[in-house]
Amino acid sequence: MSVTTAQGFTAAGLAAGIKATGKADLALVRNLGPDFTAAAVFTSNRVKAAPVQWSEQVIKDGKLQAVILNSGGANACTGPDGFADTHATAEAVADALGIGAIDVAVCSTGLIGTRLPMDKITGAIPAIVQQSSTDGGDDAAEAIMTTDTHSKQATASGSGWTVGAMAKGAGMLAPGLATMLVVITTDAVIDAAELDSALRQATAATFDRVDSDGCMSTNDTVIAMASGASGEAADRAEFEAALTAVCHELAQQLLGDAEGAAHRIAINIHGAVSADDAIMVGRTIARNNLFKCAIFGEDPNWGRVLAAIGTTDADFDPDQLDVSFNGIKVCVGGSIGEPRELVDLGPREVAVDVDLHAGDHETTIWTNDLTYDYVKENAEYVS
Amino acid sequence: MSVTTAQGFTAAGLAAGIKATGKADLALVRNLGPDFTAAAVFTSNRVKAAPVQWSEQVIKDGKLQAVILNSGGANACTGPDGFADTHATAEAVADALGIGAIDVAVCSTGLIGTRLPMDKITGAIPAIVQQSSTDGGDDAAEAIMTTDTHSKQATASGSGWTVGAMAKGAGMLAPGLATMLVVITTDAVIDAAELDSALRQATAATFDRVDSDGCMSTNDTVIAMASGASGEAADRAEFEAALTAVCHELAQQLLGDAEGAAHRIAINIHGAVSADDAIMVGRTIARNNLFKCAIFGEDPNWGRVLAAIGTTDADFDPDQLDVSFNGIKVCVGGSIGEPRELVDLGPREVAVDVDLHAGDHETTIWTNDLTYDYVKENAEYVS
C-alpha cells in the first residue's frame, strides 16, 4: 500500500529538523531499476517554486533515479538563492547515491517565501539514503505531510505489474494541479513517452477535477517512475486505467482531508454543449463561497447555485436549469421545484446535480464546504 | 442625507409583513417632477431576478416616476409567476399614484427561489403611498436592509443642485454590480442620455471595483432619478464627479458593513500594461480565500498574493513582482523583502500594494477578509 509496493523501489522518511515541531519532514523515493523511466506534471501557476523549476528541467530526458521531498517549507518565491538551495539538495542526494544530480527530482511543500534550513537538509541526506528500504514507503508518506491529518497512499495491480503511490495535500487545492505532491511508482516496463501520456490523461481526469478552495499552489508536482522490475510490459489501456484509479483514490483522500471541511461535494454537470462548458460551470459553483457556506449550514440553497452559473458564459437558458441536492430536484426549469425540506445534507457526502439542458457533455468537479475550521486553519497557518 | 434631500422627491418605508421579524421591508421613492428623467444599471448575472427583468424594460424610455423596493425576498428564480408578481406590484403602485406601471421600477432583495407574499405587498401599497413625504428618506433606507447592520445613505452638492442616495448590501458583493440596491435622486436638470452616461461612469469606478466575496447577485440594481426641481442644469463634469462621490461613499459603506468582515482591504495594483490587467490581478487576489484568511489572521502572507497573481494571464515577470502590506515591502523582485514582522495588520484598514513592473496602469479593488462570522452568516442565512 505504498510507493515501495512496486518492485524496484526503496523509500525512507525522517525528521531532519526543518519543522519546528520535530515531526518527520524529509522523504526519499529511489528507483533501483533496471529501468529509470519517469514522467511528471507540474503546477500551471506562473509563480513556480524553485523545486518545480529544477524538476521541470531534470525530467526532460524522461529519466529519474530518485525524488527527494521535504515538508516544512515550500522554497517558493525565494529567488536565485532558493534555486541554489534546491540544486544543492539534488547534488547532495546525487553524491550520496553515486549518481548525477540530473537524475534527482526535488519537491518541497510548506510556507511560501521563506528559505529552507539547508544545513539540516544536507546534513540528513546521508542518513535518509542509508535508511531507504523496500518497506520505507509508509515513512516517506508520513514525512511529506503539512496540514494533512493522515498520510495518503494507494496501489493498483495490472497483469504482472503493480502501481504504488503517495500524496500530500490538504489545502490550496485547485485545478492545474491541486496543491500537492504525488509520487507514483510502478514496476511495469513502459517507455517514457507512454508513461508521460498516461500520466497526463490520469491527472486530467482526477486531480484536475478537484477544486477544494480555488487556490492554486506554486509547488504542485506529480512524478511517476517506472522501474521495469516486474519484467512485464504494460498494456497501455490497462496501465492508464490503473494509473487513473490510483490518482482518483488519492484525489478522494485529498478531498476527504481538506482543511476544515465538513462535507465532500460532488458537483455533477449534465447537458453541457462541451466538456469545457461543463468544467467551467462546475468550477464556478465549486468556487462560490456562498454556496460553500450553505452546504456547511446544510441548506440546499439552489438559488446560490443558479447565481453562480449565471456568472459564466456557458451555453444555457436560465429558464431550463435543473438543480438537485442529493437526488431531490429543488429547482426545475430555473424556478422552484421539490420542497427544500426534503433534502438531507447531514451526511458528509453531498451530490449536487445540475442539468444545463444544452448538450450531451458532462463532468464532475469535486469540492468541499467552507467552514469555521477552514478559516481557522488558514488564518493561523504559518508553518 | 437621504434620497429626499434633493428637491422634488418623497419617500417612505414601512413593515408590510414580508419579513417574519416584523422589521420594515417595503420602501417607496417617488419623483414629483417637473422632470421624470431616469437611468439604471443592472446586474450582469445572466440569471436575473423578476424585478430586474421588469425594471430593465420600464427604464428604456429614460423616465420613471417611482421605485418600489422590498427586502425579505429576492423574487429571483421564481419563473413566470414571479414575473407576474413584480408586474402586479408595479401596477398596484401605479394605481395608487394615478400613473402608468411603465413609470414604476421594482427592486427586491432577500432569499433567492421563494415567492413573495403578494397579499402583504399589495395590501401595504396604499399606506406607503400615503406616508410618502419629503422627509421619508431615512425610513426608506431602513426598509431595504437585509443582513445590513445599518442603513446606507450619502449626498453631494453641485452648483445649485443636490444628489441624494441610499443603498443596501452586505454580502454577495462582487463586480457587475455588487449585490445591492441603490436609488439615487437629484434635482438637477439633466437629460436621460447624460444621466445614463454619468451613472455608468460613476458605477464603473466605484461599485464595480468592490469585490467583497466574489459572488455576484441576481438582483443588483442602481437607479438614478432626476426631478429637475432645482431648475439648475447640471454641468456634465461636475455632475459626474458628484455622482461618483456619492457612489464611492456608498461603496465604502457597503464594504464597511460586509458580512462578518474584520478588515477592509484596498488592493492597489500598480505597473500594469492595461487597466484590464490591473483589474484582473486585483480581483484574483481579492477572491483568493487563503489570502483573505491570512488577513483575518493578521498575517502578511505575501506568498499567497504571488500564488494568486500567478494564476492570471496578465503581463508580468514573476521575478519582478513587489508586494507591500501597509507600506512594508515584504516582497521585492518576487522574493523575500522586508521582514514580515514589521507589518501591523491590527487596524481594520489594510492596504496591499502590488507592483507588476510591466506598464503604467493602476487600479484599486476593494475587498474584505474571510472570517468565522462570514461563514456563520452565510451558513445560517435563510431569510
Side-chain angles (χ1 to χ4, degrees):
Chain A
M1 255 312 269
S2 79
V3 288
T4 48
T5 300
Q7 295 175 66
F9 292 91
T10 61
L14 54 70
I18 309 167
K19 288 178 178 166
T21 58
K23 289 188 178 171
D25 49 22
L26 194 66
L28 178 72
V29 181
R30 189 179 170 194
N31 182 356
L32 302 176
D35 298 341
F36 301 103
T37 312
V41 181
F42 301 97
T43 181
S44 57
N45 199 309
R46 292 170 59 199
V47 176
K48 294 178 197 302
V52 169
Q53 295 177 34
W54 170 265
S55 299
E56 280 183 335
Q57 296 305 313
V58 299
I59 199 69
K60 283 188 174 167
D61 63 358
K63 293 193 180 305
L64 283 180
Q65 295 203 38
V67 184
I68 182 89
L69 311 94
N70 75 273
S71 54
N75 196 12
C77 307
T78 45
D81 291 340
F83 188 80
D85 290 343
T86 290
H87 186 185
T89 303
E91 290 283 359
V93 172
D95 282 354
L97 294 176
I99 60 175
I102 195 174
D103 287 326
V104 181
V106 181
C107 300
S108 299
T109 181
L111 190 66
I112 300 172
T114 53
R115 297 280 300 278
L116 291 171
M118 284 306 295
D119 53 335
K120 290 177 177 161
I121 292 177
T122 53
I125 282 173
I128 203 167
V129 166
Q130 195 178 356
Q131 279 181 30
S132 185
S133 73
T134 54
D135 52 25
D138 291 346
D139 288 345
E142 287 281 331
I144 57 175
M145 289 166 54
T146 54
T147 56
D148 308 66
T149 64
H150 56 79
S151 64
K152 285 129 187 131
Q153 303 186 88
T155 55
S157 298
S159 304
W161 46 263
T162 298
V163 176
M166 67 178 187
K168 73 77 50 178
M172 239 191 201
L173 292 174
L177 302 163
T179 292
M180 56 190 203
L181 305 178
V182 178
V183 177
I184 301 166
T185 57
T186 182
D187 46 25
V189 176
I190 186 167
D191 71 26
E194 288 282 300
L195 183 62
D196 182 76
S197 164
L199 182 65
R200 287 177 194 283
Q201 292 289 332
T203 56
T206 56
F207 298 122
D208 272 354
R209 295 288 176 274
V210 172
D211 196 333
S212 172
D213 65 358
C215 298
M216 189 194 296
S217 152
T218 51
N219 287 57
D220 295 332
T221 302
V222 183
I223 292 175
M225 296 189 287
S227 69
S230 69
E232 295 286 339
D235 171 76
R236 169 57 197 271
E238 187 186 12
F239 185 76
E240 188 178 311
L243 207 57
T244 302
V246 163
C247 290
H248 178 76
E249 170 59 27
L250 289 175
Q252 293 303 313
Q253 290 183 35
L254 294 172
L255 270 164
D257 195 27
E259 288 166 352
H263 290 86
R264 179 159 62 174
I265 308 166
I267 302 172
N268 307 305
I269 309 300
H270 312 274
V273 296
S274 65
D276 284 351
D277 260 22
I279 292 167
M280 172 171 56
V281 170
R283 283 189 182 156
T284 301
I285 298 167
R287 292 179 176 187
N288 188 281
N289 281 350
L290 294 173
F291 162 75
K292 292 158 79 83
C293 286
I295 299 294
F296 174 51
E298 302 184 2
D299 171 21
N301 197 318
W302 59 270
R304 293 178 180 174
V305 175
L306 260 62
I309 298 171
T311 65
T312 73
D313 57 5
D315 265 316
F316 68 86
D317 175 344
D319 294 332
Q320 295 293 318
L321 298 170
D322 294 342
V323 180
S324 300
F325 282 76
N326 285 349
I328 309 294
K329 199 179 278 191
V330 286
C331 171
V332 178
S335 185
I336 304 161
E338 297 288 307
R340 58 175 74 206
E341 293 71 24
L342 297 180
V343 179
D344 177 11
L345 294 179
R348 188 174 183 91
E349 306 294 324
V350 171
V352 178
D353 284 82
V354 173
D355 198 329
L356 301 176
H357 289 295
D360 296 325
H361 290 264
E362 55 185 27
T363 196
T364 298
I365 299 289
W366 295 91
T367 191
N368 297 102
D369 50 354
L370 180 53
T371 67
Y372 301 135
D373 287 345
Y374 177 88
V375 175
K376 182 176 168 68
E377 282 208 42
N378 289 298
E380 294 179 356
Y381 177 64
V382 289
S383 67
Chain B
M1 258 309 273
S2 78
V3 288
T4 48
T5 301
Q7 298 174 65
F9 292 92
T10 61
L14 53 70
I18 310 168
K19 288 179 179 167
T21 58
K23 289 188 177 170
D25 48 23
L26 192 66
L28 177 71
V29 181
R30 189 178 170 196
N31 182 356
L32 303 177
D35 298 342
F36 300 104
T37 313
V41 182
F42 301 97
T43 182
S44 57
N45 198 311
R46 291 169 58 199
V47 176
K48 295 180 198 300
V52 169
Q53 295 177 34
W54 169 264
S55 298
E56 280 182 336
Q57 296 305 314
V58 300
I59 199 68
K60 283 188 175 167
D61 64 358
K63 294 195 179 303
L64 282 179
Q65 295 203 40
V67 184
I68 182 86
L69 311 93
N70 75 274
S71 53
N75 196 10
C77 307
T78 44
D81 292 340
F83 188 81
D85 290 343
T86 290
H87 186 184
T89 303
E91 289 284 359
V93 172
D95 281 353
L97 294 176
I99 60 176
I102 196 173
D103 287 326
V104 182
V106 181
C107 301
S108 299
T109 181
L111 189 66
I112 300 172
T114 53
R115 296 280 300 278
L116 290 172
M118 284 307 295
D119 53 334
K120 291 176 177 163
I121 292 177
T122 53
I125 283 173
I128 203 166
V129 166
Q130 195 178 356
Q131 279 182 30
S132 186
S133 74
T134 55
D135 52 24
D138 292 346
D139 288 345
E142 288 281 332
I144 58 174
M145 290 166 53
T146 54
T147 56
D148 309 66
T149 64
H150 55 80
S151 64
K152 286 127 188 134
Q153 302 187 87
T155 55
S157 297
S159 305
W161 46 264
T162 297
V163 177
M166 66 178 187
K168 71 79 47 180
M172 240 193 202
L173 292 173
L177 303 160
T179 289
M180 56 193 202
L181 305 178
V182 179
V183 176
I184 302 167
T185 56
T186 182
D187 47 25
V189 175
I190 185 168
D191 71 26
E194 288 281 300
L195 184 62
D196 182 76
S197 163
L199 183 64
R200 287 176 194 283
Q201 292 289 332
T203 54
T206 55
F207 297 121
D208 272 353
R209 295 287 177 276
V210 171
D211 196 333
S212 174
D213 63 0
C215 298
M216 189 194 294
S217 154
T218 51
N219 288 56
D220 295 331
T221 302
V222 183
I223 291 175
M225 295 189 288
S227 70
S230 70
E232 295 287 339
D235 172 76
R236 167 59 196 268
E238 187 187 12
F239 184 75
E240 186 178 312
L243 207 57
T244 302
V246 164
C247 291
H248 178 76
E249 171 59 26
L250 290 176
Q252 294 302 313
Q253 290 183 35
L254 292 174
L255 270 165
D257 195 26
E259 288 166 351
H263 291 86
R264 181 159 60 176
I265 309 166
I267 302 173
N268 307 304
I269 309 298
H270 311 274
V273 296
S274 67
D276 284 350
D277 260 21
I279 291 168
M280 171 170 56
V281 170
R283 282 188 183 158
T284 301
I285 298 167
R287 292 178 176 188
N288 187 279
N289 281 351
L290 294 173
F291 163 75
K292 292 160 79 82
C293 286
I295 299 295
F296 175 52
E298 301 184 3
D299 170 21
N301 196 319
W302 58 269
R304 293 178 180 175
V305 175
L306 260 64
I309 299 171
T311 65
T312 73
D313 57 5
D315 264 315
F316 69 85
D317 175 343
D319 294 332
Q320 296 293 317
L321 299 170
D322 293 343
V323 180
S324 299
F325 281 76
N326 286 349
I328 309 295
K329 199 179 280 191
V330 285
C331 170
V332 178
S335 183
I336 304 160
E338 296 288 307
R340 59 174 73 203
E341 292 72 24
L342 297 179
V343 179
D344 178 10
L345 294 179
R348 188 173 182 91
E349 306 294 323
V350 171
V352 178
D353 284 82
V354 173
D355 198 329
L356 301 175
H357 290 294
D360 296 325
H361 290 265
E362 55 187 26
T363 197
T364 298
I365 299 290
W366 296 91
T367 191
N368 296 104
D369 50 354
L370 179 54
T371 69
Y372 301 134
D373 286 346
Y374 176 88
V375 175
K376 182 177 168 67
E377 283 209 42
N378 289 299
E380 294 178 358
Y381 176 65
V382 288
S383 65

